């Protein structure tokens, strides 16, 4: 694969100077054009040690208008990053629309190093690469342009470069003595690099291999490639790789309209006194469990979705009243801020993922994408259809990161909703809870039912299943939520979390799912 | 001071239940009203150990709609916090306008603990309290409502409560065995508490002392006090404590119009070849120094302000081209995002303060408050006048936190500006740099001159002085910026930073300022 990067290409000083001039102007021009679009540009810089990745990035920062470019190196992980799922740090480094992010190594850094140090084997590496492909696709389908550079040197050139670097006081490389290994084991490194590039070189986010022996050739090629890639993207809409799978065509019989929601027994209820006893007991239990999870540094994420006036709020407050306020954060999901709008829709949820030991309660969530955004037409069909996969991958990462994830759908009947709406309108201190929008949503009950049915079917996964809550009787609903949580957290704490060494997916080592 | 909190007040169960009902409804109502305003509400919870601060906060979260309330405990400092000036963590915890933040201890936590453990003496404590008063005033003048609760117990009651807590598995207190000292040294603690309250109990952000022996009395009093305070604030505009000092009245002579800018020798220039040599040498030096600062974990903040077309951009790019892109972040200051608008104007600058070892370059900055916002009338006179003090205090904190701060004003003559504007309009790739706004600003040259003169006079402090750059000759300007930086960073690294133990201001231990 790397043969073409060891052929001794170079550019002389004069040609470089002449070509650079036009290139700079062109790059500044496309950068300005980019600002007017909603395209975030992600530039990944990777390659062998000594290829001059740092110099390339400095060159880029020299050529581009640095206002609108952010550079991220993933050197030292801060504890805020370490205590969250692995990809949190990448999500927080993503550029907003219209801007560029230059990422050193990015999500490729850990896989390369871990395979190199034999912390993982080829199969585990491949599993991670599959995830990377998914992650990149997610960003690209949201409009991002990802440009990946691999800078390469022959073994001989590398040896020479590393010797020079070791003498240079200004070199970051000097501070990393253990990287000398990379030079000693050139062929292993090349083997890994080839495997990684081969697995992640997709049409929509290709790798560009560049010979790095001559800095002028290296930089000029990189700059021209970048220019070309951005120009091409500016003239093209997003290329959605393949249409996401659709639902089966339904036969024209009444039973085809039955959904999982129709199987809920909404007559279930709990007598007042039983409710009071159970509530007290469960609240005390969940308080204990929250402290225990805090001590064991396990995080918890709760997701509440449900019919309007279904009782989400009441169920949430029965939890928050029980748990120490220092341990949880309740995040109500309303309209996104403009910073949130400038990113992928999952970005606003990633930013609230709790640190180790803490709890985040999402009052409505990323499922808005396949519920309200689908039904109201805010998201196109391709967008909400692929959201199922994106959400499943997102939640898988949370769970792998040691987070205990619980998802509740709180349901009531259409008649019960009407009763509650009317009650809200006639009770002064509840009136703020009901708006015209609620009435409008109510008219779309059938569409919501279809959306919910599909959502539950597609996103109730082994690691992140939905709990459906029969909500007509509020006491019953609240107790069921608390019971599910207590049992789930207890089981989660007992099961423990498999130690993840860096990027290694712990799928294989995960014990079988708990009995339901 | 605490006599009135040891008188044995209590509330019986029935009264509590009856009063609670109305209180909850009222609190929810004011919370909804608050949402429509631009008032952030900060609730500080402090008091003796065992007074039930955690229980109080849980109660508050039970009474209020948790959507719109965030609770912050300042338990474990993350390294992202530790590596920045002390107040960074408080700034990131401030609630946005219309919402509430409940802070456990907040900025009072460290002073109490440090004085208690004799890490500081009374004088040092007082110095910190002065800073707290300033900080709170800054927030209040921006519209914030700060409500500070102190929960108190008699020595006897405290002993009893701590015994109970030690038996309770769910208690956070149990996990902090060294806090037993607090009980043993009740009188010292009370002495410190009194001192702190006395110094920080201002009319605009008063302390409310509440007897905590009876939980029902404690919570009800807290709730009613809170309700009253918010209601009062909703009906009142911000109370600016005292008008900020004004400029002296000027005699009606021409020389009264002379500013520091008139003393700049704008004919200063650098021959081409000298420029090239110096630029290369200085860029190499600043690169070395940036790496050295990285190794020594010293941060650098650069502020660039100046006349339109003065050459800020060119000066900045001569720096960024020299420094490794992994080490710096360039922050162009344009219109604030809506998240930024929902906070104090300094918030958006605090969020970009670099971690230890890194560099942030502000291309325009917090000085916009006293420049464009003043001249264009975006900020009222009271607001921009008090900004001088706010900015000085902000910068003092940066410097105390070990940051090396450099501020540049890049100046050109009015004729030179005209030449550059015309050049920009006639050069295709520069045309994007010039807008109608630039021409409009140009007409306000005299007003800007007055504003700049005053800004430099009021904010060129010992720890954060301005460097004025004669910008008519670009080579001269760029070299002067680089020279100033190199000399400044070198001196800063040699001088080192006094070790700050927690909150202790290091003013006394700071060596005399370097010779200019």
């Amino acid at each position: 694969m790397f043969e073409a990067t060891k052929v001794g290409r170079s550019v002389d000083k004069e040609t470089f100077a002449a070509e650079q001039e036009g290139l700079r102007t062109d790059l500044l021009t496309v950068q300005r054009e980019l600002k007017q679009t909603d395209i975030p540009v992600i530039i990944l810089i990777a390659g062998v040690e000594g290829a001059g990745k740092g110099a390339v990035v400095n060159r880029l920062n020299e050529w581009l208008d640095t206002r609108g470019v952010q550079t991220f190196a993933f050197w030292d992980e801060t504890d805020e990053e370490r205590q969250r799922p692995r990809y949190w740090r990448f999500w927080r480094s993503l550029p907003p629309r219209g801007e560029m992010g230059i990422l050193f190594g990015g999500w490729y850094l850990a896989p390369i190093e871990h395979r190199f140090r034999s912390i993982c084997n080829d199969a585990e590496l491949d599993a991670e690469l599959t995830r990377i492909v998914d992650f990149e696709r997610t960003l690209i389908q949201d409009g991002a342009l990802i440009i990946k550079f691999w800078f390469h040197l022959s073994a001989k050139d590398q040896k020479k470069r590393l010797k020079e670097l070791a003498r240079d006081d200004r070199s970051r490389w000097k501070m990393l003595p253990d990287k000398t290994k990379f030079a000693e084991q050139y062929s292993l490194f090349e083997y890994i690099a080839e495997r990684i590039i081969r697995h992640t070189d997709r049409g929509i986010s290709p790798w560009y291999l560049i010979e790095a022996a001559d800095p002028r050739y290296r930089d000029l090629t990189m700059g021209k490639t970048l220019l070309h890639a951005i120009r091409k993207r500016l003239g093209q809409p997003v290329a959605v790789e393949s249409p996401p799978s659709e639902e089966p065509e339904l036969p024209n019989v009444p039973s085809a309209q039955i959904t999982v929601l129709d199987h809920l027994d909404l007559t279930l209820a709990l007598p007042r006194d039983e409710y009071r006893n159970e509530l007290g007991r469960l609240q005390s239990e969940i308080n204990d469990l929250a402290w225990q999870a805090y001590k064991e540094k396990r995080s918890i994420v709760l997701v509440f979705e449900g019919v309007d006036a279904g009782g989400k709020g009441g169920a949430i407050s029965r939890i928050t009243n029980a748990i120490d306020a220092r341990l949880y954060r309740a995040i109500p999901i309303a309209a996104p801020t403009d910073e949130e709008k400038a990113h992928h829709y999952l970005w606003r949820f990633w930013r609230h993922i709790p640190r180790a030991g803490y709890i985040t309660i999402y009052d409505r969530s990323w499922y808005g994408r396949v519920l309200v955004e689908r039904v109201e037409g805010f998201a196109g069909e391709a967008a909400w259809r692929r959201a199922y996969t994106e959400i499943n991958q997102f939640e898988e990462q949370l769970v792998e990161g040691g987070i205990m994830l619980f998802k509740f759908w709180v349901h009531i009947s259409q008649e019960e909703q009407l009763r509650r709406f009317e009650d809200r309108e006639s009770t002064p201190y509840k009136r703020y809870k009901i708006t015209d929008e609620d009435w409008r949503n109510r008219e779309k009950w059938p569409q919501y039912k279809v959306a919910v049915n599909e959502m539950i079917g597609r996103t109730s996964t082994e690691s992140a299943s939905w709990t459906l809550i029969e909500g007509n009787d509020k006491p019953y609903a609240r107790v069921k939520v608390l019971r599910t949580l207590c049992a789930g957290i207890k089981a989660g704490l007992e099961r423990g979390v498999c130690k993840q060494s860096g990027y290694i997916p712990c799928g294989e080592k995960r014990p079988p799912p708990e009995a339901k």
Side-chain angles (χ1 to χ4, degrees), chain A residues 102 197 207 224 266 332-333 342 349 354 367 463:
Chain A
I102 302 174
I197 292 171
W207 278 101
K224 288 182 149 222
L266 293 176
I333 300 302
F349 305 106
Y367 284 101
S463 53

Side-chain angles (χ1 to χ4, degrees), chain A residues 258-327:
Chain A
I258 299 176
T259 68
V260 289
L261 298 175
D262 296 306
H263 282 283
L264 290 178
D265 179 2
L266 293 176
T267 65
L268 288 169
L270 205 66
R272 269 275 147 194
D273 53 342
E274 202 179 321
Y275 170 59
R276 256 194 301 267
N277 288 340
E278 272 296 275
L279 184 68
R281 192 185 63 77
L282 287 165
Q283 285 190 321
S284 158
E285 186 176 349
I286 200 168
N287 180 28
D288 289 348
L289 288 166
W291 276 119
Q292 201 186 327
Y294 174 78
K295 282 190 233 170
E296 298 183 15
K297 295 220 163 245
R298 294 292 302 278
S299 312
I300 299 170
V301 166
L302 307 184
V303 172
F304 281 87
E305 292 283 355
V307 176
D308 286 335
K312 274 185 300 109
I316 290 173
S317 71
R318 294 315 176 284
I319 299 165
T320 54
N321 293 350
I323 297 177
D324 194 302
R326 288 164 286 200
L327 295 184

Side-chain angles (χ1 to χ4, degrees), chain A residues 127-182:
Chain A
E128 176 68 5
L129 296 179
T130 305
R131 163 166 301 177
I132 286 178
V133 169
D134 290 338
F135 176 55
E136 292 181 354
R137 189 190 295 117
T138 293
L139 299 178
I140 288 161
Q141 287 176 333
D142 183 54
L145 170 64
I146 305 182
I147 304 162
K148 300 182 288 191
F149 289 108
W150 185 274
F151 297 97
H152 211 73
L153 291 172
S154 66
K156 206 181 107 205
D157 283 334
Q158 188 186 36
K159 210 168 173 187
K160 204 175 110 199
R161 277 290 292 150
L162 293 183
K163 234 182 223 168
E164 285 164 21
L165 283 170
R167 277 197 302 268
D168 186 354
D169 262 343
R170 284 170 304 173
S171 155
R172 158 85 183 158
W173 187 84
K174 203 180 178 174
M175 290 187 260
L176 299 168
D178 61 336
K179 293 239 168 140
T180 46
K181 267 201 240 159
F182 282 109

Side-chain angles (χ1 to χ4, degrees), chain A residues 108-138:
Chain A
Y108 290 98
L109 213 60
I112 293 174
E113 288 212 10
H114 286 146
R115 178 61 192 83
F116 188 79
R117 300 182 198 283
S118 296
I119 295 169
C120 72
N121 59 31
D122 279 351
E124 287 164 329
L125 176 64
D126 290 353
E128 176 68 5
L129 296 179
T130 305
R131 163 166 301 177
I132 286 178
V133 169
D134 290 338
F135 176 55
E136 292 181 354
R137 189 190 295 117
T138 293

Side-chain angles (χ1 to χ4, degrees), chain A residues 190-246:
Chain A
E190 207 172 52
Y191 165 83
I192 298 167
E194 181 179 325
R195 191 176 193 96
I196 285 175
I197 292 171
R198 191 155 33 86
H199 277 75
T200 58
D201 185 39
R202 302 296 168 112
I204 54 166
S205 69
W207 278 101
Y208 298 99
L209 274 54
I210 295 179
E211 179 167 356
D214 176 60
R216 283 189 294 266
Y217 173 82
R218 177 194 68 198
D219 294 359
L220 208 54
T221 311
M222 177 275 298
K224 288 182 149 222
T225 308
L226 179 66
L227 177 67
H228 177 74
I230 299 178
R231 268 193 183 149
K232 201 171 137 213
R233 178 66 183 80
L234 286 172
Q236 270 183 356
V238 192
V240 175
E241 246 187 336
S242 53
S245 61
E246 293 185 10

